[in-house]
Amino acid sequence: MQDGRDVWLHELDVSDDPATCPCEPMDAEDLLFLMYTSGTTAKPKGIVHTTGGYLVGAATTHHYIFDLKAETDVYWCAADIGWITGHSYIVYGPLCNGATSVIYEGTPDFPDKSRWWSLIERYGVTILYTAPTAIRAHMKWGPQYAAAHDLTSLRLLGSVGEPINPEAWIWYHENIGGERCPIVDTWWQTETGMVLITPLPGVTTTKPGSATRPFPGVAASVVTETGDRVETGGGYLVLERPWPAMTRGIYGDDARFRSTYWDRFPGVYFAGDGARIDADGDFWLLGRVDDVMNVSGHRISTIEVESALVDHPAVAEAAVCGRNDALTGQAIVAYVTLKSGIEGSVEMLEELRNHVAFKIGAIAKPANVVFTPELPKTRSGKIMRRLLRDVAENRTLGDTTTLADPAVVSEIAQRAAEAPTED
Ligand code: 7RM
């Protein structure tokens, strides 16, 4: 307590202050906030969101996608509040909709690994929204923590931030949702402000790993290299019409805004993600297009190989990147975290390479497998592949300031240096 600066609240006379705080009218296009993107590229972009459209987008999607019944639901979005997911779906959407929310600050394993499940039991949480990376952490620890709690209040589950691999989807569905809760796999970005591709509970038939359909009114398409629309098959994800919560630009850098999102395909917004539309018209997100590897002329997405690795019963998490290779153009390097109690070995390495070959094809076999206790991730759980590429190519490491735990990278570099190389 410092004299002249600090005061005790109970000593402060606030009896004359009004008990209400009137709303401040704003213009629809007044700046609401700037969100600096997670920094998987070198220089962060200040993504601009304004007031009217953003709130319409956040509130509407929160209402329909989570089928919110404000009078009875207890809603919990377990994201970091500093991430766009925290802004749209912890703060603005739920507040606009008068939701009863759980807001939690802390790690899922303190004081023990039951933390989330005891909170759900205690508050009767009905809707849980989280990220695949968190689900895989719980998978790694094992289902016994969730099993020891009454989770029957849950009626709807959500996923966000990266493609949810079918293995994690099924684990979430069975062990958390008791096989009775629909899962909404929601695709969107900092720039979009609101969810754009998602199932609607009770309306859409879900498939493990697919974000299914554009939200009503959203004109999402997949196009070829030359911008032609793909009806069924893979390509680049674009948005052909505006939507309420779309970013109004990059703060102070209009040229970069235009070149990043609008120049690649004239007249449409380019999201930077690859996607595939299946025979039913459902969308499958394939990750950032910069993360596509090229092995002997075959285009392989990092997500595909990661999903094949995580499909192996011993694997908790995997991150994959390409490194330069004189023979094949690029070679695949896999960083693998094994489930609690399982040790990496040369036999395991061979088994994993063969598993990928079995699931995808021999061309996708990782040339190197590095066993590591953790993967380098941002606070929102996104793997920083740029750093993994640096490690794989023995370059000086790039900026690590947005990493949740910077020590992880040097540990991985150490292990990568010791790992045997195949082929
Ligand atoms: C909400 C958020 C955006 C990037 C985006 C995608 C990836 C997000 C999903 C997904 C597949 C999903 N904002 N992404 N959600 N990929 N399925 N359901 O994550 O700005 O931090 O990241 O995240 O690559 O472009 S973000």
Side-chain angles (χ1 to χ4, degrees):
M1 293 298 288
Q2 198 177 301
D3 244 12
R5 188 191 70 180
D6 304 324
V7 289
W8 288 107
L9 185 62
H10 65 272
E11 288 172 1
L12 199 65
D13 183 13
V14 292
S15 51
D16 286 343
D17 288 352
T20 54
C21 174
C23 295
E24 180 70 28
M26 304 296 284
D27 187 86
E29 289 305 306
D30 280 343
L31 179 72
L32 182 60
F33 62 82
L34 293 178
M35 166 80 50
Y36 282 83
T37 53
S38 55
T40 35
T41 52
K43 185 176 168 235
K45 308 185 273 261
I47 300 298
V48 176
H49 281 294
T50 58
T51 308
Y54 173 83
L55 292 175
V56 167
T60 315
T61 49
H62 179 251
H63 176 84
Y64 285 108
I65 295 166
F66 297 106
D67 178 36
L68 184 80
K69 307 279 185 279
E71 303 303 315
T72 47
D73 274 317
V74 178
Y75 166 86
W76 183 17
C77 169
D80 186 307
I81 208 157
W83 182 24
I84 189 67
T85 303
H87 278 54
S88 298
Y89 298 109
I90 296 177
V91 182
Y92 293 105
L95 284 179
C96 286
N97 291 331
T100 299
S101 296
V102 171
I103 296 181
Y104 176 67
E105 166 79 39
T107 58
D109 58 355
F110 183 84
D112 59 60
K113 297 181 171 74
S114 304
R115 184 61 163 169
W116 279 20
W117 321 124
S118 68
L119 285 172
I120 290 174
E121 180 174 292
R122 186 189 311 161
Y123 295 113
V125 172
T126 59
I127 305 169
L128 176 67
Y129 191 29
T130 184
T133 180
I135 298 164
R136 286 192 298 268
H138 289 292
M139 283 174 79
K140 178 179 170 183
W141 298 330
Q144 65 277 18
Y145 300 100
H149 291 273
D150 180 5
L151 304 182
T152 52
S153 58
L154 286 171
R155 65 175 190 87
L156 183 64
L157 303 174
S159 172
V160 57
E162 55 179 310
I164 177 163
N165 49 298
E167 185 82 0
W169 196 102
I170 290 164
W171 191 93
Y172 196 27
H173 184 65
E174 290 177 351
N175 294 283
I176 309 306
E179 294 183 327
R180 88 192 158 267
C181 305
I183 298 178
V184 289
D185 174 3
T186 61
W187 178 88
W188 60 296
Q189 306 178 298
T190 302
E191 295 85 340
T192 72
M194 61 188 253
V195 173
L196 294 185
I197 304 179
T198 178
L200 292 179
V203 177
T204 316
T205 307
T206 57
K207 295 171 188 168
S210 168
T212 72
R213 302 298 176 105
F215 187 76
V218 171
S221 292
V222 172
V223 299
T224 63
E225 196 82 34
T226 51
D228 298 310
R229 220 188 265 172
V230 172
E231 297 304 328
T232 344
Y236 302 88
L237 183 66
V238 299
L239 295 153
E240 298 184 343
R241 283 204 304 267
W243 59 98
M246 71 192 296
T247 176
R248 301 304 194 258
I250 296 176
Y251 192 69
D253 200 345
D254 195 50
R256 189 171 179 201
F257 180 52
R258 287 164 193 270
S259 68
T260 308
Y261 308 103
W262 304 99
D263 285 353
R264 181 72 180 77
F265 302 106
V268 301
Y269 171 91
F270 173 45
D273 281 1
R276 182 169 65 79
I277 301 180
D278 71 15
D280 300 327
D282 285 323
F283 285 66
W284 296 76
L285 279 305
L286 303 174
R288 308 294 298 165
V289 296
D290 326 329
D291 290 338
V292 171
M293 303 168 293
N294 195 314
V295 182
S296 306
H298 296 259
R299 289 167 60 80
I300 302 168
S301 88
T302 51
I303 303 286
E304 261 181 298
V305 182
E306 286 162 8
S307 189
L309 285 164
V310 176
D311 178 74
H312 189 283
V315 176
E317 281 225 278
V320 158
C321 69
R323 63 161 167 77
N324 291 325
D325 185 273
L327 203 64
T328 55
Q330 278 192 312
I332 300 177
V333 182
Y335 300 85
V336 172
T337 305
L338 297 172
K339 286 199 182 138
S340 304
I342 304 176
E343 286 290 321
S345 63
V346 177
E347 293 73 39
M348 176 64 75
L349 183 154
E350 258 325 295
E351 200 175 312
L352 294 181
R353 295 180 72 238
N354 291 333
H355 190 72
V356 174
F358 169 72
K359 297 291 284 189
I360 309 178
I363 194 82
K365 258 190 179 184
N368 315 77
V369 177
V370 180
F371 294 108
T372 169
E374 300 286 345
L375 297 171
K377 289 190 206 146
T378 65
R379 285 178 63 99
S380 66
K382 293 202 195 320
I383 294 164
M384 294 190 69
R385 292 199 181 71
R386 178 173 54 81
L387 292 180
L388 293 177
R389 282 193 288 264
D390 288 347
V391 171
E393 297 187 343
N394 305 314
R395 281 192 298 260
T396 4
L397 300 177
D399 187 12
T400 57
T401 47
T402 57
L403 276 174
D405 178 7
V408 169
V409 184
S410 42
E411 162 102 32
I412 290 176
Q414 176 77 29
R415 285 175 186 249
E418 292 160 2
T421 307
E422 204 62 39
D423 293 341

